[in-house]
mmCIF file of all heavy atoms in Angstrom:
data_model
loop_
_atom_site.group_PDB
_atom_site.id
_atom_site.type_symbol
_atom_site.label_atom_id
_atom_site.label_comp_id
_atom_site.label_asym_id
_atom_site.label_seq_id
_atom_site.Cartn_x
_atom_site.Cartn_y
_atom_site.Cartn_z
ATOM 1 N N THR F 540 0.711 -9.305 -8.941
ATOM 2 C CA THR F 540 1.829 -8.846 -8.112
ATOM 3 C C THR F 540 2.039 -7.365 -8.405
ATOM 4 O O THR F 540 2.103 -6.979 -9.585
ATOM 5 C CB THR F 540 3.104 -9.648 -8.443
ATOM 6 O OG1 THR F 540 2.822 -11.022 -8.191
ATOM 7 C CG2 THR F 540 4.288 -9.212 -7.594
ATOM 8 N N VAL F 541 2.113 -6.578 -7.348
ATOM 9 C CA VAL F 541 2.245 -5.132 -7.528
ATOM 10 C C VAL F 541 3.483 -4.658 -6.766
ATOM 11 O O VAL F 541 3.724 -5.095 -5.635
ATOM 12 C CB VAL F 541 0.983 -4.396 -7.007
ATOM 13 C CG1 VAL F 541 1.063 -2.908 -7.310
ATOM 14 C CG2 VAL F 541 -0.278 -4.996 -7.618
ATOM 15 N N ILE F 542 4.277 -3.807 -7.401
ATOM 16 C CA ILE F 542 5.497 -3.290 -6.749
ATOM 17 C C ILE F 542 5.624 -1.794 -7.038
ATOM 18 O O ILE F 542 5.542 -1.373 -8.201
ATOM 19 C CB ILE F 542 6.775 -3.999 -7.256
ATOM 20 C CG1 ILE F 542 6.611 -5.526 -7.259
ATOM 21 C CG2 ILE F 542 7.968 -3.598 -6.400
ATOM 22 C CD1 ILE F 542 7.850 -6.293 -7.709
ATOM 23 N N THR F 543 5.839 -1.026 -5.979
ATOM 24 C CA THR F 543 6.009 0.423 -6.143
ATOM 25 C C THR F 543 7.387 0.854 -5.656
ATOM 26 O O THR F 543 7.805 0.468 -4.568
ATOM 27 C CB THR F 543 4.931 1.182 -5.335
ATOM 28 O OG1 THR F 543 3.656 0.768 -5.824
ATOM 29 C CG2 THR F 543 5.082 2.682 -5.481
ATOM 30 N N SER F 544 8.068 1.647 -6.460
ATOM 31 C CA SER F 544 9.369 2.199 -6.062
ATOM 32 C C SER F 544 9.312 3.720 -6.094
ATOM 33 O O SER F 544 8.663 4.297 -6.974
ATOM 34 C CB SER F 544 10.459 1.766 -7.052
ATOM 35 O OG SER F 544 10.622 0.374 -7.039
ATOM 36 N N ARG F 545 10.008 4.348 -5.138
ATOM 37 C CA ARG F 545 10.208 5.801 -5.204
ATOM 38 C C ARG F 545 11.635 6.028 -5.676
ATOM 39 O O ARG F 545 12.569 5.404 -5.168
ATOM 40 C CB ARG F 545 10.042 6.439 -3.811
ATOM 41 C CG ARG F 545 8.655 6.445 -3.237
ATOM 42 C CD ARG F 545 7.607 7.075 -4.122
ATOM 43 N NE ARG F 545 7.857 8.464 -4.486
ATOM 44 C CZ ARG F 545 7.537 9.514 -3.737
ATOM 45 N NH1 ARG F 545 6.989 9.352 -2.568
ATOM 46 N NH2 ARG F 545 7.773 10.745 -4.182
ATOM 47 N N VAL F 546 11.797 6.907 -6.639
ATOM 48 C CA VAL F 546 13.134 7.163 -7.205
ATOM 49 C C VAL F 546 13.303 8.663 -7.488
ATOM 50 O O VAL F 546 12.323 9.363 -7.730
ATOM 51 C CB VAL F 546 13.340 6.345 -8.508
ATOM 52 C CG1 VAL F 546 13.412 4.856 -8.211
ATOM 53 C CG2 VAL F 546 12.258 6.602 -9.536
ATOM 54 N N TYR F 547 14.556 9.113 -7.458
ATOM 55 C CA TYR F 547 14.835 10.547 -7.598
ATOM 56 C C TYR F 547 15.991 10.763 -8.568
ATOM 57 O O TYR F 547 17.121 11.082 -8.149
ATOM 58 C CB TYR F 547 15.175 11.139 -6.221
ATOM 59 C CG TYR F 547 14.160 10.770 -5.168
ATOM 60 C CD1 TYR F 547 14.304 9.612 -4.400
ATOM 61 C CD2 TYR F 547 13.020 11.550 -4.978
ATOM 62 C CE1 TYR F 547 13.353 9.259 -3.459
ATOM 63 C CE2 TYR F 547 12.062 11.201 -4.030
ATOM 64 C CZ TYR F 547 12.238 10.050 -3.284
ATOM 65 O OH TYR F 547 11.294 9.694 -2.350
ATOM 66 N N PRO F 548 15.753 10.566 -9.867
ATOM 67 C CA PRO F 548 16.865 10.703 -10.819
ATOM 68 C C PRO F 548 17.432 12.112 -10.823
ATOM 69 O O PRO F 548 16.729 13.081 -10.519
ATOM 70 C CB PRO F 548 16.211 10.394 -12.168
ATOM 71 C CG PRO F 548 14.801 10.035 -11.912
ATOM 72 C CD PRO F 548 14.471 10.291 -10.490
ATOM 73 N N LYS F 549 18.708 12.187 -11.172
ATOM 74 C CA LYS F 549 19.346 13.511 -11.300
ATOM 75 C C LYS F 549 19.290 13.946 -12.756
ATOM 76 O O LYS F 549 19.180 15.128 -13.065
ATOM 77 C CB LYS F 549 20.813 13.417 -10.876
ATOM 78 C CG LYS F 549 20.988 13.259 -9.393
ATOM 79 C CD LYS F 549 21.223 14.616 -8.793
ATOM 80 C CE LYS F 549 21.217 14.574 -7.285
ATOM 81 N NZ LYS F 549 20.740 15.781 -6.683
ATOM 82 N N LEU F 550 19.431 12.965 -13.668
ATOM 83 C CA LEU F 550 19.488 13.274 -15.101
ATOM 84 C C LEU F 550 18.147 13.007 -15.795
ATOM 85 O O LEU F 550 17.705 13.777 -16.638
ATOM 86 C CB LEU F 550 20.564 12.414 -15.783
ATOM 87 C CG LEU F 550 21.961 12.466 -15.166
ATOM 88 C CD1 LEU F 550 22.852 11.378 -15.743
ATOM 89 C CD2 LEU F 550 22.578 13.838 -15.421
ATOM 90 N N ALA F 551 17.508 11.882 -15.431
ATOM 91 C CA ALA F 551 16.268 11.472 -16.114
ATOM 92 C C ALA F 551 15.077 12.227 -15.538
ATOM 93 O O ALA F 551 14.174 11.655 -14.939
ATOM 94 C CB ALA F 551 16.088 9.969 -15.965
ATOM 95 N N VAL F 552 15.111 13.520 -15.709
ATOM 96 C CA VAL F 552 14.123 14.404 -15.100
ATOM 97 C C VAL F 552 13.285 15.053 -16.197
ATOM 98 O O VAL F 552 13.821 15.452 -17.236
ATOM 99 C CB VAL F 552 14.861 15.487 -14.270
ATOM 100 C CG1 VAL F 552 13.955 16.619 -13.901
ATOM 101 C CG2 VAL F 552 15.476 14.870 -13.035
ATOM 102 N N ALA F 553 11.967 15.137 -15.990
ATOM 103 C CA ALA F 553 11.030 15.805 -16.907
ATOM 104 C C ALA F 553 11.316 15.417 -18.360
ATOM 105 O O ALA F 553 11.323 14.244 -18.702
ATOM 106 C CB ALA F 553 11.070 17.305 -16.675
ATOM 107 N N GLY F 554 11.606 16.397 -19.230
ATOM 108 C CA GLY F 554 11.818 16.135 -20.653
ATOM 109 C C GLY F 554 13.064 15.310 -20.951
ATOM 110 O O GLY F 554 13.254 14.831 -22.072
ATOM 111 N N ASP F 555 13.923 15.127 -19.965
ATOM 112 C CA ASP F 555 15.141 14.329 -20.179
ATOM 113 C C ASP F 555 14.971 12.872 -19.750
ATOM 114 O O ASP F 555 15.949 12.132 -19.679
ATOM 115 C CB ASP F 555 16.319 14.950 -19.422
ATOM 116 C CG ASP F 555 16.705 16.293 -20.009
ATOM 117 O OD1 ASP F 555 16.560 16.456 -21.238
ATOM 118 O OD2 ASP F 555 17.092 17.196 -19.236
ATOM 119 N N ALA F 556 13.738 12.501 -19.434
ATOM 120 C CA ALA F 556 13.492 11.096 -19.064
ATOM 121 C C ALA F 556 13.103 10.305 -20.315
ATOM 122 O O ALA F 556 12.475 10.838 -21.236
ATOM 123 C CB ALA F 556 12.372 11.031 -18.034
ATOM 124 N N HIS F 557 13.503 9.040 -20.333
ATOM 125 C CA HIS F 557 13.212 8.167 -21.486
ATOM 126 C C HIS F 557 12.604 6.863 -20.985
ATOM 127 O O HIS F 557 12.793 6.488 -19.818
ATOM 128 C CB HIS F 557 14.496 7.879 -22.269
ATOM 129 C CG HIS F 557 15.166 9.121 -22.759
ATOM 130 N ND1 HIS F 557 15.022 9.584 -24.038
ATOM 131 C CD2 HIS F 557 15.953 10.027 -22.119
ATOM 132 C CE1 HIS F 557 15.708 10.711 -24.178
ATOM 133 N NE2 HIS F 557 16.278 11.009 -23.022
ATOM 134 N N LEU F 558 11.915 6.174 -21.910
ATOM 135 C CA LEU F 558 11.308 4.880 -21.581
ATOM 136 C C LEU F 558 11.779 3.855 -22.607
ATOM 137 O O LEU F 558 11.771 4.140 -23.819
ATOM 138 C CB LEU F 558 9.774 5.015 -21.636
ATOM 139 C CG LEU F 558 8.967 3.742 -21.438
ATOM 140 C CD1 LEU F 558 9.081 3.228 -19.996
ATOM 141 C CD2 LEU F 558 7.480 3.981 -21.766
ATOM 142 N N HIS F 559 12.203 2.682 -22.142
ATOM 143 C CA HIS F 559 12.670 1.626 -23.051
ATOM 144 C C HIS F 559 11.963 0.323 -22.715
ATOM 145 O O HIS F 559 11.514 0.129 -21.579
ATOM 146 C CB HIS F 559 14.163 1.358 -22.853
ATOM 147 C CG HIS F 559 15.064 2.487 -23.189
ATOM 148 N ND1 HIS F 559 15.968 2.434 -24.206
ATOM 149 C CD2 HIS F 559 15.214 3.715 -22.624
ATOM 150 C CE1 HIS F 559 16.650 3.571 -24.263
ATOM 151 N NE2 HIS F 559 16.209 4.363 -23.307
ATOM 152 N N VAL F 560 11.956 -0.604 -23.681
ATOM 153 C CA VAL F 560 11.696 -2.017 -23.374
ATOM 154 C C VAL F 560 13.021 -2.732 -23.591
ATOM 155 O O VAL F 560 13.823 -2.310 -24.436
ATOM 156 C CB VAL F 560 10.588 -2.639 -24.270
ATOM 157 C CG1 VAL F 560 9.212 -2.266 -23.780
ATOM 158 C CG2 VAL F 560 10.767 -2.276 -25.730
ATOM 159 N N PHE F 561 13.265 -3.815 -22.837
ATOM 160 C CA PHE F 561 14.569 -4.472 -22.961
ATOM 161 C C PHE F 561 14.439 -5.972 -22.738
ATOM 162 O O PHE F 561 13.456 -6.455 -22.170
ATOM 163 C CB PHE F 561 15.569 -3.882 -21.954
ATOM 164 C CG PHE F 561 15.375 -4.416 -20.553
ATOM 165 C CD1 PHE F 561 16.155 -5.472 -20.070
ATOM 166 C CD2 PHE F 561 14.400 -3.891 -19.719
ATOM 167 C CE1 PHE F 561 15.964 -5.984 -18.789
ATOM 168 C CE2 PHE F 561 14.210 -4.394 -18.445
ATOM 169 C CZ PHE F 561 14.990 -5.434 -17.972
ATOM 170 N N ASN F 562 15.471 -6.671 -23.183
ATOM 171 C CA ASN F 562 15.569 -8.107 -22.905
ATOM 172 C C ASN F 562 17.037 -8.463 -22.677
ATOM 173 O O ASN F 562 17.881 -8.185 -23.529
ATOM 174 C CB ASN F 562 15.020 -8.915 -24.089
ATOM 175 C CG ASN F 562 15.223 -10.416 -23.891
ATOM 176 O OD1 ASN F 562 15.300 -10.889 -22.751
ATOM 177 N ND2 ASN F 562 15.307 -11.157 -24.997
ATOM 178 N N ASN F 563 17.339 -9.067 -21.536
ATOM 179 C CA ASN F 563 18.701 -9.543 -21.275
ATOM 180 C C ASN F 563 18.736 -11.053 -21.069
ATOM 181 O O ASN F 563 19.585 -11.578 -20.371
ATOM 182 C CB ASN F 563 19.310 -8.829 -20.061
ATOM 183 C CG ASN F 563 19.893 -7.484 -20.467
ATOM 184 O OD1 ASN F 563 20.376 -7.341 -21.606
ATOM 185 N ND2 ASN F 563 19.833 -6.507 -19.586
ATOM 186 N N GLY F 564 17.770 -11.739 -21.664
ATOM 187 C CA GLY F 564 17.754 -13.204 -21.590
ATOM 188 C C GLY F 564 18.133 -13.780 -22.950
ATOM 189 O O GLY F 564 18.012 -13.098 -23.982
ATOM 190 N N THR F 565 18.551 -15.058 -22.962
ATOM 191 C CA THR F 565 18.942 -15.671 -24.237
ATOM 192 C C THR F 565 17.718 -16.005 -25.100
ATOM 193 O O THR F 565 17.814 -16.074 -26.319
ATOM 194 C CB THR F 565 19.772 -16.948 -23.987
ATOM 195 O OG1 THR F 565 19.092 -17.725 -22.996
ATOM 196 C CG2 THR F 565 21.165 -16.614 -23.490
ATOM 197 N N GLU F 566 16.563 -16.196 -24.465
ATOM 198 C CA GLU F 566 15.340 -16.465 -25.231
ATOM 199 C C GLU F 566 14.817 -15.141 -25.822
ATOM 200 O O GLU F 566 14.733 -14.130 -25.116
ATOM 201 C CB GLU F 566 14.281 -17.066 -24.280
ATOM 202 C CG GLU F 566 12.907 -17.272 -24.879
ATOM 203 C CD GLU F 566 12.852 -18.393 -25.913
ATOM 204 O OE1 GLU F 566 13.598 -19.381 -25.762
ATOM 205 O OE2 GLU F 566 12.066 -18.255 -26.873
ATOM 206 N N THR F 567 14.485 -15.169 -27.110
ATOM 207 C CA THR F 567 13.942 -13.952 -27.740
ATOM 208 C C THR F 567 12.554 -13.657 -27.176
ATOM 209 O O THR F 567 11.748 -14.559 -26.977
ATOM 210 C CB THR F 567 13.854 -14.151 -29.268
ATOM 211 O OG1 THR F 567 15.185 -14.314 -29.733
ATOM 212 C CG2 THR F 567 13.196 -12.966 -29.958
ATOM 213 N N ILE F 568 12.331 -12.382 -26.917
ATOM 214 C CA ILE F 568 11.037 -11.939 -26.362
ATOM 215 C C ILE F 568 10.349 -11.088 -27.419
ATOM 216 O O ILE F 568 11.002 -10.306 -28.118
ATOM 217 C CB ILE F 568 11.271 -11.087 -25.089
ATOM 218 C CG1 ILE F 568 12.021 -11.884 -24.020
ATOM 219 C CG2 ILE F 568 9.970 -10.505 -24.541
ATOM 220 C CD1 ILE F 568 11.308 -13.080 -23.442
ATOM 221 N N VAL F 569 9.024 -11.232 -27.532
ATOM 222 C CA VAL F 569 8.280 -10.384 -28.461
ATOM 223 C C VAL F 569 7.391 -9.427 -27.664
ATOM 224 O O VAL F 569 6.663 -9.858 -26.763
ATOM 225 C CB VAL F 569 7.405 -11.239 -29.418
ATOM 226 C CG1 VAL F 569 6.551 -10.347 -30.332
ATOM 227 C CG2 VAL F 569 8.285 -12.166 -30.245
ATOM 228 N N VAL F 570 7.516 -8.136 -27.979
ATOM 229 C CA VAL F 570 6.576 -7.171 -27.400
ATOM 230 C C VAL F 570 5.319 -7.316 -28.260
ATOM 231 O O VAL F 570 5.216 -6.781 -29.356
ATOM 232 C CB VAL F 570 7.126 -5.729 -27.474
ATOM 233 C CG1 VAL F 570 6.092 -4.725 -26.985
ATOM 234 C CG2 VAL F 570 8.401 -5.627 -26.673
ATOM 235 N N GLU F 571 4.389 -8.096 -27.751
ATOM 236 C CA GLU F 571 3.201 -8.417 -28.547
ATOM 237 C C GLU F 571 2.351 -7.168 -28.760
ATOM 238 O O GLU F 571 1.898 -6.867 -29.860
ATOM 239 C CB GLU F 571 2.421 -9.502 -27.796
ATOM 240 C CG GLU F 571 1.244 -10.039 -28.554
ATOM 241 C CD GLU F 571 0.392 -10.912 -27.654
ATOM 242 O OE1 GLU F 571 0.176 -10.545 -26.478
ATOM 243 O OE2 GLU F 571 -0.063 -11.947 -28.120
ATOM 244 N N LYS F 572 2.139 -6.436 -27.655
ATOM 245 C CA LYS F 572 1.345 -5.205 -27.702
ATOM 246 C C LYS F 572 1.914 -4.244 -26.682
ATOM 247 O O LYS F 572 2.174 -4.653 -25.541
ATOM 248 C CB LYS F 572 -0.090 -5.504 -27.245
ATOM 249 C CG LYS F 572 -1.090 -5.638 -28.360
ATOM 250 C CD LYS F 572 -2.493 -5.678 -27.802
ATOM 251 C CE LYS F 572 -2.783 -7.004 -27.124
ATOM 252 N NZ LYS F 572 -4.063 -7.176 -26.531
ATOM 253 N N LEU F 573 2.090 -3.011 -27.070
ATOM 254 C CA LEU F 573 2.482 -1.999 -26.086
ATOM 255 C C LEU F 573 1.650 -0.754 -26.336
ATOM 256 O O LEU F 573 1.535 -0.295 -27.480
ATOM 257 C CB LEU F 573 3.975 -1.672 -26.209
ATOM 258 C CG LEU F 573 4.495 -0.588 -25.250
ATOM 259 C CD1 LEU F 573 5.927 -0.881 -24.826
ATOM 260 C CD2 LEU F 573 4.420 0.822 -25.828
ATOM 261 N N HIS F 574 1.022 -0.251 -25.298
ATOM 262 C CA HIS F 574 0.325 1.044 -25.362
ATOM 263 C C HIS F 574 0.964 1.935 -24.305
ATOM 264 O O HIS F 574 1.085 1.505 -23.148
ATOM 265 C CB HIS F 574 -1.158 0.903 -25.023
ATOM 266 C CG HIS F 574 -1.879 -0.091 -25.863
ATOM 267 N ND1 HIS F 574 -2.012 0.041 -27.218
ATOM 268 C CD2 HIS F 574 -2.499 -1.245 -25.539
ATOM 269 C CE1 HIS F 574 -2.688 -0.989 -27.695
ATOM 270 N NE2 HIS F 574 -2.991 -1.786 -26.698
#
Side-chain angles (χ1 to χ4, degrees):
T540 301
V541 185
I542 312 182
T543 301
S544 297
R545 291 305 301 276
V546 292
Y547 310 90
K549 288 265 172 211
L550 307 169
V552 166
D555 293 327
H557 302 261
L558 175 69
H559 296 245
V560 280
F561 79 97
N562 175 26
N563 277 328
T565 47
E566 174 70 33
T567 296
I568 301 295
V569 176
V570 175
E571 186 190 41
K572 259 190 287 179
L573 178 146
H574 305 297

